[in-house]
Amino acid sequence: MSDSVLDSRLLTLGRTLGVDSGETLPLGVRLERIAESVATDTARLWLALAAISAQFPFVSDFERFRRDAALNGTVHALEAAVKHSRRLRAPNRSVEVRIVTGGVFVDVHHTSRTGLATGIQRVVRQTIVEWNDRTGVELVGWDPGFTGLRQLSAPERQNALYGSVPRIARASKWQLTIPYQSRYILPELAIETDRTARLQCFAEFSGNRTGVIGFDCVPLTSSETVGEGMSAAFAKNLAALAHFDQVSTISVAAATEYRGWKRMLGGAGLTGPEIEPLLLPSVAEQVSAPEFAEATKKLVEGSDPLVVCVGSHEPRKNHLAVLFAAERLWREGVSFQLVFIGGNGWHGDEFRAQLDTLATQGRPVRAISAVSDSLLWSAYRLARVTIFPSLNEGFGLPVGESLAAGTPVITSNFGSMKEIAISGGAIFVDPRDDDDVFRGLKAGLLDDELHARLVLEAQDLPARDWSDYASELWEYFEAVPGSSPSA
């Protein structure tokens, strides 16, 4: 690290702390002035270490630094941090820092760099679009090594908001962004090892207010259905969240899972965050006549009724049960066509093999991935019914989206899926009972009186849009934990 980079970091730190640490002063004097302001304050110690090293510390690094300050004095600890920073490898030794007081930082690292438009990304983008113009809000990501936060590039920001620039080169230069006396919000799932480890230290010691959207605890409660290593990565995510202030879950069912985890924290002497549910909205997007006509050509073959199943092809989504029920109905002579919409997921090989076998036998079934929003919403409207018999969901967007489009849904009789559809428009089934899934699909296809009633129920459901959700979520994160948002 060059003297000029160190000078810049110390000057920025001194300004934030309200002390003169200008580069014209000897290094020892500058560190003494900073040390006098920092003293033994935990949040200021974290800030000083992050600013001098130009990276968010791990818990072990911070504890070592704080103990050095307590045993040998804060000046000694700062001097040791400077020496260590001089030995950092590129590119971190040349990184400059900016410290922002009183801001709101929304961490959308993964969303800003992915072309995925799955459940989590849809929630993130719909939410941050509503927050984008609020004063003090800054969308941030992480540097390539996950050492700390940085401002997004213009293409990353565009992709975070709209998903329109999915392939972006990694940043080669960046400035570390350090929140101080600010609010940090994580609306997506963070599972990268260093990212969650540094967030754990940040949440515990930095003094910033922290909030997160809690999607589900599926990697713990249904670990047999997730990809290799996901449960371990999610456990690290929870280790960080244990020190957050607030978790806003996307359903009551998800809150039940997170509250169960929170109760376990008592065994480790931890209080854990406040956990409050805020149900996601379900809003049908408009589709133009040309888009609808094009989608009809792509999705519908002939005059048989269409059944749509939306979701990634992973075991938890229970698509093999859908195929089994469909094959039983085809063998009984029931005519319909089945379209799966969603990308490939982990452990999806058996589903793909069974799908290919049925298609080879002439069954009217296929899978489509990487669809546009217009095609997805056209599919909901073209379907006689949709089917979503998932084994576990934090929310289950396809359930809410189908009902918002006015199309009845066959879904699981528990958890968030029942929570979403309890007011009408759904046929509930036991997803672990093949006979019950078969019964539900058969009723949805053949019982015209039931179908007509469900359509009316779906059309009469109360409307709540993403603007409402984003405002309620913002109000919750602004509230002091433990009080009502309106207090």
Side-chain angles (χ1 to χ4, degrees):
M1 177 176 60
S2 67
D3 288 342
S4 62
V5 172
L6 176 61
D7 287 341
S8 175
R9 293 178 188 176
L10 293 178
L11 184 61
T12 301
L13 176 59
R15 284 173 178 166
T16 303
L17 297 173
V19 300
D20 180 8
S21 60
E23 60 267 28
T24 59
L25 297 171
L27 177 60
V29 174
R30 300 166 75 186
L31 294 180
E32 286 176 359
R33 291 184 176 182
I34 291 172
E36 184 177 353
S37 177
V38 169
T40 58
D41 182 85
T42 297
R44 291 192 171 204
L45 283 167
W46 181 91
L47 175 67
L49 182 57
I52 291 173
S53 63
Q55 57 186 8
F56 288 13
F58 296 117
V59 170
S60 58
D61 295 332
F62 179 75
E63 290 285 24
R64 190 180 305 112
F65 175 73
R66 184 168 65 165
R67 287 165 181 162
D68 186 13
L71 289 172
N72 305 306
T74 304
V75 171
H76 185 275
L78 294 174
E79 289 173 344
V82 168
K83 290 179 182 177
H84 177 73
S85 297
R86 292 185 187 276
R87 297 193 296 270
L88 286 175
R89 292 182 292 178
N92 284 75
R93 65 168 171 252
S94 61
V95 170
E96 296 194 357
V97 303
R98 61 186 285 259
I99 302 172
V100 182
T101 303
V104 179
F105 297 88
V106 184
D107 182 352
V108 290
H109 176 82
H110 182 258
T111 307
S112 71
R113 304 189 58 78
T114 184
L116 292 175
T118 55
I120 290 177
Q121 283 72 46
R122 288 175 71 83
V123 172
V124 173
R125 290 186 173 120
Q126 294 280 9
T127 302
I128 64 175
V129 161
E130 299 293 336
W131 289 353
N132 189 38
D133 294 329
R134 289 181 178 268
T135 303
V137 172
E138 184 174 328
L139 303 182
V140 292
W142 289 70
D143 66 85
F146 292 103
T147 63
L149 296 175
R150 61 175 177 83
Q151 292 177 296
L152 298 181
S153 66
E156 286 175 322
R157 182 180 177 82
Q158 182 77 6
N159 194 60
L161 290 166
Y162 308 110
S164 54
V165 195
R167 288 177 288 277
I168 304 170
R170 290 174 54 144
S172 57
K173 288 186 177 181
W174 66 90
Q175 185 183 50
L176 181 74
T177 294
I178 306 177
Y180 179 60
Q181 296 178 350
S182 294
R183 185 179 297 114
Y184 167 88
I185 299 173
L186 178 63
E188 62 182 24
L189 178 63
I191 55 173
E192 301 86 354
T193 301
D194 281 1
R195 183 183 182 190
T196 53
R198 295 183 193 276
L199 276 178
Q200 180 178 347
C201 183
F202 174 85
E204 185 172 2
F205 298 117
S206 73
N208 290 284
R209 285 271 305 282
T210 49
V212 63
I213 295 180
F215 291 93
D216 57 61
C217 292
V218 167
L220 296 184
T221 56
S222 300
S223 59
E224 73 281 3
T225 69
V226 301
E228 195 71 29
M230 182 61 181
S231 295
F234 186 73
K236 297 296 185 184
N237 170 274
L238 291 180
L241 265 54
H243 301 282
F244 271 55
D245 296 306
Q246 296 165 291
V247 177
S248 176
T249 63
I250 59 176
S251 66
V252 172
T256 299
E257 292 187 333
Y258 276 95
R259 285 169 177 162
W261 157 73
K262 179 179 175 177
R263 284 194 294 272
M264 291 191 293
L265 292 178
L270 298 174
T271 303
E274 176 185 272
I275 298 168
E276 291 294 334
L278 180 59
L279 192 69
L280 293 178
S282 298
V283 184
E285 295 184 12
Q286 297 301 311
V287 179
S288 68
E291 288 173 330
F292 188 78
E294 184 65 28
T296 303
K297 290 180 183 179
K298 187 170 184 178
L299 293 168
V300 180
E301 298 177 354
S303 58
D304 289 338
L306 175 66
V307 176
V308 170
C309 183
V310 177
S312 56
H313 312 313
E314 57 187 273
R316 177 168 57 92
K317 303 299 182 180
N318 211 19
H319 288 174
L320 285 173
V322 176
L323 287 177
F324 180 71
E327 174 62 2
R328 286 179 64 181
L329 285 169
W330 283 321
R331 290 189 181 190
E332 287 189 0
V334 180
S335 296
F336 66 98
Q337 48 197 309
L338 173 61
V339 175
F340 290 87
I341 297 178
N344 290 327
W346 40 86
H347 303 322
D349 293 344
E350 187 177 358
F351 165 78
R352 293 297 314 188
Q354 183 64 19
L355 181 81
D356 292 343
T357 297
L358 291 172
T360 301
Q361 293 172 352
R363 298 304 190 192
V365 59
R366 56 204 169 105
I368 302 174
S369 61
V371 302
S372 64
D373 284 349
S374 62
L375 191 142
L376 175 64
W377 285 103
S378 296
Y380 283 128
R381 291 181 171 94
L382 287 165
R384 176 179 171 92
V385 293
T386 65
I387 184 165
F388 191 78
S390 178
L391 301 175
N392 193 355
E393 292 291 328
F395 183 77
L397 273 175
V399 176
E401 290 176 340
S402 182
L403 294 175
T407 299
V409 59
I410 301 155
T411 192
S412 303
N413 60 0
F414 56 79
S416 64
M417 293 158 284
K418 187 172 184 179
E419 184 181 339
I420 296 165
I422 192 64
S423 297
I427 297 172
F428 292 110
V429 299
D430 179 352
R432 295 179 173 88
D433 183 339
D434 284 345
D435 290 336
D436 208 30
V437 175
F438 167 76
R439 173 198 62 79
L441 183 55
K442 185 174 184 177
L445 284 168
L446 300 182
D447 191 333
D448 291 335
E449 183 178 343
L450 171 64
H451 182 266
R453 176 170 61 81
L454 295 177
V455 169
L456 290 176
E457 288 176 355
Q459 291 173 348
D460 288 340
L461 292 174
R464 178 166 162 268
D465 61 24
W466 284 101
S467 177
D468 295 327
Y469 172 76
S471 294
E472 292 165 10
L473 184 63
W474 182 269
E475 192 176 352
Y476 172 65
F477 284 141
E478 275 199 317
V480 176
S483 66
S484 64
S486 60

PDB file of all heavy atoms in Angstrom, residues 442-453:
ATOM      1  N   LYS A 442     -57.485 -34.021 -11.908  1.00  0.00           N
ATOM      2  CA  LYS A 442     -58.674 -34.518 -12.605  1.00  0.00           C
ATOM      3  C   LYS A 442     -59.861 -33.590 -12.374  1.00  0.00           C
ATOM      4  O   LYS A 442     -60.606 -33.257 -13.315  1.00  0.00           O
ATOM      5  CB  LYS A 442     -58.997 -35.929 -12.119  1.00  0.00           C
ATOM      6  CG  LYS A 442     -60.145 -36.588 -12.876  1.00  0.00           C
ATOM      7  CD  LYS A 442     -60.309 -38.036 -12.426  1.00  0.00           C
ATOM      8  CE  LYS A 442     -61.399 -38.746 -13.232  1.00  0.00           C
ATOM      9  NZ  LYS A 442     -61.522 -40.172 -12.847  1.00  0.00           N
ATOM     10  N   ALA A 443     -60.045 -33.144 -11.139  1.00  0.00           N
ATOM     11  CA  ALA A 443     -61.148 -32.234 -10.832  1.00  0.00           C
ATOM     12  C   ALA A 443     -60.991 -30.914 -11.576  1.00  0.00           C
ATOM     13  O   ALA A 443     -61.966 -30.358 -12.104  1.00  0.00           O
ATOM     14  CB  ALA A 443     -61.218 -31.989  -9.329  1.00  0.00           C
ATOM     15  N   GLY A 444     -59.774 -30.404 -11.608  1.00  0.00           N
ATOM     16  CA  GLY A 444     -59.542 -29.145 -12.297  1.00  0.00           C
ATOM     17  C   GLY A 444     -59.817 -29.219 -13.786  1.00  0.00           C
ATOM     18  O   GLY A 444     -60.232 -28.232 -14.407  1.00  0.00           O
ATOM     19  N   LEU A 445     -59.607 -30.373 -14.368  1.00  0.00           N
ATOM     20  CA  LEU A 445     -59.814 -30.543 -15.812  1.00  0.00           C
ATOM     21  C   LEU A 445     -61.246 -30.903 -16.175  1.00  0.00           C
ATOM     22  O   LEU A 445     -61.762 -30.464 -17.213  1.00  0.00           O
ATOM     23  CB  LEU A 445     -58.864 -31.616 -16.343  1.00  0.00           C
ATOM     24  CG  LEU A 445     -57.400 -31.200 -16.515  1.00  0.00           C
ATOM     25  CD1 LEU A 445     -56.520 -32.418 -16.754  1.00  0.00           C
ATOM     26  CD2 LEU A 445     -57.266 -30.202 -17.671  1.00  0.00           C
ATOM     27  N   LEU A 446     -61.925 -31.704 -15.339  1.00  0.00           N
ATOM     28  CA  LEU A 446     -63.194 -32.282 -15.749  1.00  0.00           C
ATOM     29  C   LEU A 446     -64.419 -31.715 -15.049  1.00  0.00           C
ATOM     30  O   LEU A 446     -65.537 -31.832 -15.573  1.00  0.00           O
ATOM     31  CB  LEU A 446     -63.153 -33.802 -15.526  1.00  0.00           C
ATOM     32  CG  LEU A 446     -62.077 -34.568 -16.296  1.00  0.00           C
ATOM     33  CD1 LEU A 446     -62.192 -36.061 -16.025  1.00  0.00           C
ATOM     34  CD2 LEU A 446     -62.163 -34.289 -17.791  1.00  0.00           C
ATOM     35  N   ASP A 447     -64.258 -31.114 -13.869  1.00  0.00           N
ATOM     36  CA  ASP A 447     -65.407 -30.602 -13.122  1.00  0.00           C
ATOM     37  C   ASP A 447     -65.657 -29.144 -13.525  1.00  0.00           C
ATOM     38  O   ASP A 447     -65.077 -28.208 -12.948  1.00  0.00           O
ATOM     39  CB  ASP A 447     -65.141 -30.718 -11.619  1.00  0.00           C
ATOM     40  CG  ASP A 447     -66.387 -30.450 -10.786  1.00  0.00           C
ATOM     41  OD1 ASP A 447     -67.278 -29.716 -11.254  1.00  0.00           O
ATOM     42  OD2 ASP A 447     -66.456 -30.953  -9.644  1.00  0.00           O
ATOM     43  N   ASP A 448     -66.522 -28.953 -14.520  1.00  0.00           N
ATOM     44  CA  ASP A 448     -66.757 -27.602 -15.041  1.00  0.00           C
ATOM     45  C   ASP A 448     -67.426 -26.686 -14.026  1.00  0.00           C
ATOM     46  O   ASP A 448     -67.142 -25.485 -13.973  1.00  0.00           O
ATOM     47  CB  ASP A 448     -67.626 -27.681 -16.303  1.00  0.00           C
ATOM     48  CG  ASP A 448     -66.892 -28.310 -17.475  1.00  0.00           C
ATOM     49  OD1 ASP A 448     -65.643 -28.248 -17.490  1.00  0.00           O
ATOM     50  OD2 ASP A 448     -67.553 -28.850 -18.385  1.00  0.00           O
ATOM     51  N   GLU A 449     -68.323 -27.238 -13.207  1.00  0.00           N
ATOM     52  CA  GLU A 449     -68.991 -26.416 -12.199  1.00  0.00           C
ATOM     53  C   GLU A 449     -67.992 -25.914 -11.162  1.00  0.00           C
ATOM     54  O   GLU A 449     -67.997 -24.732 -10.788  1.00  0.00           O
ATOM     55  CB  GLU A 449     -70.095 -27.230 -11.516  1.00  0.00           C
ATOM     56  CG  GLU A 449     -70.890 -26.430 -10.503  1.00  0.00           C
ATOM     57  CD  GLU A 449     -72.006 -27.249  -9.869  1.00  0.00           C
ATOM     58  OE1 GLU A 449     -72.371 -28.302 -10.434  1.00  0.00           O
ATOM     59  OE2 GLU A 449     -72.504 -26.836  -8.799  1.00  0.00           O
ATOM     60  N   LEU A 450     -67.106 -26.808 -10.711  1.00  0.00           N
ATOM     61  CA  LEU A 450     -66.053 -26.415  -9.767  1.00  0.00           C
ATOM     62  C   LEU A 450     -65.133 -25.384 -10.400  1.00  0.00           C
ATOM     63  O   LEU A 450     -64.788 -24.372  -9.771  1.00  0.00           O
ATOM     64  CB  LEU A 450     -65.254 -27.645  -9.340  1.00  0.00           C
ATOM     65  CG  LEU A 450     -63.976 -27.377  -8.518  1.00  0.00           C
ATOM     66  CD1 LEU A 450     -64.321 -26.749  -7.175  1.00  0.00           C
ATOM     67  CD2 LEU A 450     -63.177 -28.665  -8.327  1.00  0.00           C
ATOM     68  N   HIS A 451     -64.762 -25.619 -11.640  1.00  0.00           N
ATOM     69  CA  HIS A 451     -63.836 -24.703 -12.322  1.00  0.00           C
ATOM     70  C   HIS A 451     -64.431 -23.304 -12.423  1.00  0.00           C
ATOM     71  O   HIS A 451     -63.755 -22.300 -12.158  1.00  0.00           O
ATOM     72  CB  HIS A 451     -63.502 -25.250 -13.712  1.00  0.00           C
ATOM     73  CG  HIS A 451     -62.522 -24.396 -14.470  1.00  0.00           C
ATOM     74  ND1 HIS A 451     -62.930 -23.416 -15.355  1.00  0.00           N
ATOM     75  CD2 HIS A 451     -61.163 -24.356 -14.453  1.00  0.00           C
ATOM     76  CE1 HIS A 451     -61.862 -22.828 -15.860  1.00  0.00           C
ATOM     77  NE2 HIS A 451     -60.782 -23.376 -15.336  1.00  0.00           N
ATOM     78  N   ALA A 452     -65.708 -23.226 -12.795  1.00  0.00           N
ATOM     79  CA  ALA A 452     -66.356 -21.918 -12.929  1.00  0.00           C
ATOM     80  C   ALA A 452     -66.385 -21.183 -11.589  1.00  0.00           C
ATOM     81  O   ALA A 452     -66.163 -19.965 -11.522  1.00  0.00           O
ATOM     82  CB  ALA A 452     -67.768 -22.094 -13.477  1.00  0.00           C
ATOM     83  N   ARG A 453     -66.664 -21.928 -10.521  1.00  0.00           N
ATOM     84  CA  ARG A 453     -66.682 -21.304  -9.185  1.00  0.00           C
ATOM     85  C   ARG A 453     -65.304 -20.797  -8.791  1.00  0.00           C
ATOM     86  O   ARG A 453     -65.167 -19.691  -8.248  1.00  0.00           O
ATOM     87  CB  ARG A 453     -67.197 -22.302  -8.153  1.00  0.00           C
ATOM     88  CG  ARG A 453     -67.147 -21.766  -6.720  1.00  0.00           C
ATOM     89  CD  ARG A 453     -67.888 -22.662  -5.749  1.00  0.00           C
ATOM     90  NE  ARG A 453     -67.336 -24.004  -5.691  1.00  0.00           N
ATOM     91  CZ  ARG A 453     -66.255 -24.343  -4.977  1.00  0.00           C
ATOM     92  NH1 ARG A 453     -65.585 -23.412  -4.289  1.00  0.00           N
ATOM     93  NH2 ARG A 453     -65.829 -25.587  -4.947  1.00  0.00           N
TER      94      ARG A 453
END
